[in-house]
Amino acid sequence: MQHYIIDIHGGGNVYGSKELYQHYCLGWARHGFGVVNFNYRLAPQTIFPGALKDTALVAKWVADHGQDYHLDTNNVFIIGDSAGGTLAYQYLTAYANPKYRKALGLVSSGQLVVRGGALNSGCYFVKRPGAITPDSLMSAYFTPEMMQKYDQGVRFDHFLLDHHLAHRFASFGTESDPREHVFQLNQRDAVAAKANQQQGEFFRSLFVEK
């Protein structure tokens, strides 16, 4: 059985696809991880929590069928960048919090055991003033009506601290040599390679062998 990653692509909730992430996912495969890469509904086709429901459905499908592809459903890791990072933290919160999951109408992930996640360049405090402005792309997904309805969502950083879960924060690039948004996708960049390697090492530290 192979430890694996569920990767959630970015794109401001209005564009992006799994095809755009194939080289990034192949990079993880070269480092020994299986990868599940998928598309989810985008705004304006759907608003919050439509893409999150799609993410939960993918996790449930993997729980039900992962062993058919020799995937170790006892060691699963979630990665997302940009809007995908936001979806990742929301999914991880729902995975660990049945009340939150039920409030959003998400399916359970069944026997899937998520050991950790990597949240890259996401928007995690969507209620913070200025985080999502009316003229931003993400406002087509996080509409004012939905922001008001789901005001009681769990803040992921507080969740990690309150539950004493292992986590790390890392920032890459320097003032003289900065790195752009979602830089880790660039498979030719040495700093991106370092960031991805560190994430892989963090995941491996969380493996649990049966």
Side-chain angles (χ1 to χ4, degrees):
M1 290 293 178
Q2 188 173 34
H3 311 306
Y4 71 99
I5 290 164
I6 296 177
D7 179 65
I8 310 173
H9 73 75
N13 294 111
V14 298
Y15 69 96
S17 70
K18 63 181 182 180
E19 287 75 20
L20 294 176
Y21 281 65
Q22 59 182 325
H23 295 296
Y24 174 67
C25 292
L26 285 170
W28 280 106
R30 285 193 295 270
H31 285 86
F33 288 87
V35 183
V36 175
N37 188 20
F38 67 99
N39 288 329
Y40 52 85
R41 287 173 294 166
L42 304 171
Q45 178 188 1
T46 189
I47 59 175
F48 179 83
L52 184 56
K53 289 183 175 181
D54 294 347
T55 302
L57 284 170
V58 168
K60 178 63 166 59
W61 186 92
V62 171
D64 293 341
H65 301 282
Q67 292 192 357
D68 297 339
Y69 297 89
H70 306 288
L71 299 176
D72 180 5
T73 55
N74 189 54
N75 285 286
V76 182
F77 302 91
I78 309 296
I79 290 182
D81 69 89
S82 194
T86 305
L87 281 168
Y89 107 85
Q90 291 170 339
Y91 168 75
L92 289 167
T93 300
Y95 169 84
N97 187 325
K99 291 183 178 179
Y100 184 63
R101 181 170 65 244
K102 182 178 179 180
L104 295 179
L106 308 181
V107 299
S108 169
S109 299
Q111 298 302 309
L112 201 73
V113 180
V114 177
R115 298 294 179 186
L119 312 178
N120 299 320
S121 305
C123 180
Y124 310 118
F125 301 94
V126 296
K127 293 295 293 182
R128 178 175 54 81
I132 299 178
T133 59
D135 60 345
S136 72
L137 293 175
M138 293 184 73
S139 66
Y141 180 68
F142 291 105
T143 64
E145 293 78 15
M146 292 301 100
M147 293 283 280
Q148 183 175 5
K149 180 178 179 181
Y150 294 105
D151 188 30
Q152 299 303 313
V154 177
R155 282 189 164 189
F156 196 53
D157 65 331
H158 291 173
F159 181 86
L160 293 173
L161 292 172
D162 291 345
H163 290 77
H164 308 289
L165 295 175
H167 63 285
R168 300 176 187 174
F169 174 81
S171 179
F172 294 89
T174 64
E175 185 174 344
S176 60
D177 187 22
R179 285 301 178 273
E180 70 280 3
H181 186 60
V182 299
F183 73 94
Q184 79 282 352
L185 300 181
N186 184 356
Q187 297 298 290
R188 298 179 179 179
D189 181 62
V191 176
K194 179 181 178 181
N196 294 332
Q197 179 182 4
Q198 288 187 10
Q199 287 183 354
E201 291 172 351
F202 176 64
F203 290 163
R204 287 187 174 89
S205 73
L206 301 175
F207 285 175
V208 175
E209 302 295 346
K210 288 186 176 180

